[in-house]
């Protein structure tokens, strides 16, 4: 659009020159001043249009940078969540009633007040832990005697 304005202003100036326009007459002075104003306005619009294009380009670059930063931030959070999930140890427990194997986390397994409930048959049962440190200490004492 801006180039069109400059081209149109130049065309009108060419018409004025080709018509041997008298810029010294009363009407001629007004028209010549209007022509100067038109050319200045076209030049200003061109400058503003170029500046606006530059601002849009810089804004697009900033938007992409912000998207990259957000992706990096949330990617780190996702990795941290995955690592936290990996930290919890899971155990397989066999139901004494139906024989089905269930997977439990250490917190549920070690809860002293909570009885375990089989998700398959609904039976409630306790679990005896094998190979605990206390058992190992007792076995070592028995072997020493």
């Amino acid at each position: 659009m801006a180039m069109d304005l400059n081209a149109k202003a130049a065309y009108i100036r060419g018409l004025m020159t080709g018509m041997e326009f008298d810029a010294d007459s009363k009407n001629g002075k007004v028209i010549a001043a209007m022509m100067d104003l038109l050319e200045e306005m076209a030049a200003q619009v061109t400058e503003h249009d170029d500046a606006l294009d530059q601002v849009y380009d810089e804004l697009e670059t900033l938007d992409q940078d912000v998207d990259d930063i957000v992706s990096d931030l949330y990617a780190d959070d996702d990795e941290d969540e995955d690592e936290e999930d990996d930290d919890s140890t899971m155990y397989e427990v066999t139901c004494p009633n139906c024989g089905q194997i269930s997977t439990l986390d250490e917190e549920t397994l070690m809860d002293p007040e909570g009885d375990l409930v089989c998700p398959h048959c609904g039976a409630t049962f306790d679990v005896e832990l094998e190979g605990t440190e206390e058992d190992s200490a007792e076995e070592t004492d028995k072997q020493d005697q």
Side-chain angles (χ1 to χ4, degrees):
M1 179 180 111
M3 295 303 287
D4 291 341
L5 291 177
N6 286 326
K8 288 178 182 178
Y11 175 74
I12 294 170
R13 176 67 76 181
L15 287 176
M16 288 174 60
T17 304
M19 292 175 40
E20 298 178 6
F21 181 74
D22 182 18
D24 293 330
S25 69
K26 289 182 180 183
N27 289 337
K29 288 180 182 180
V30 171
I31 293 174
M34 288 174 45
M35 186 64 222
D36 291 340
L37 176 64
L38 180 63
E39 287 174 333
E40 287 178 35
M41 288 173 63
Q44 282 290 339
V45 169
T46 300
E47 285 180 35
H48 289 287
D49 193 39
D50 292 342
L52 186 60
D53 286 343
Q54 183 179 359
V55 168
Y56 280 137
D57 291 342
E58 291 174 10
L59 182 62
E60 185 176 333
T61 301
L62 287 173
D63 187 43
Q64 290 172 352
D65 290 345
V66 168
D67 287 345
D68 291 343
I69 290 170
V70 168
S71 296
D72 290 344
L73 285 175
Y74 286 113
D76 289 344
D77 288 346
D78 291 342
E79 290 173 7
D80 291 345
E81 288 174 5
D82 291 343
E83 289 174 9
E84 289 174 10
D85 291 343
D86 293 341
D87 290 343
S88 62
T89 305
M90 301 300 284
Y91 297 94
E92 289 184 352
V93 177
T94 304
C95 174
N97 187 42
C98 68
Q100 290 289 325
I101 297 175
S102 301
T103 306
L104 302 173
D105 62 356
E106 188 171 5
E107 184 178 329
T108 305
L109 191 63
M110 300 303 286
D111 186 11
E113 296 181 13
D115 288 333
L116 299 178
V117 178
C118 178
H120 302 282
C121 69
T124 303
F125 59 95
D126 289 328
V127 174
E128 292 183 24
L129 300 176
E130 296 177 2
T132 61
E133 291 178 18
E134 292 175 10
D135 292 341
S136 297
E138 289 176 11
E139 288 177 16
T140 305
D141 290 342
K142 288 179 183 177
Q143 291 175 356
D144 291 340
Q145 294 177 352

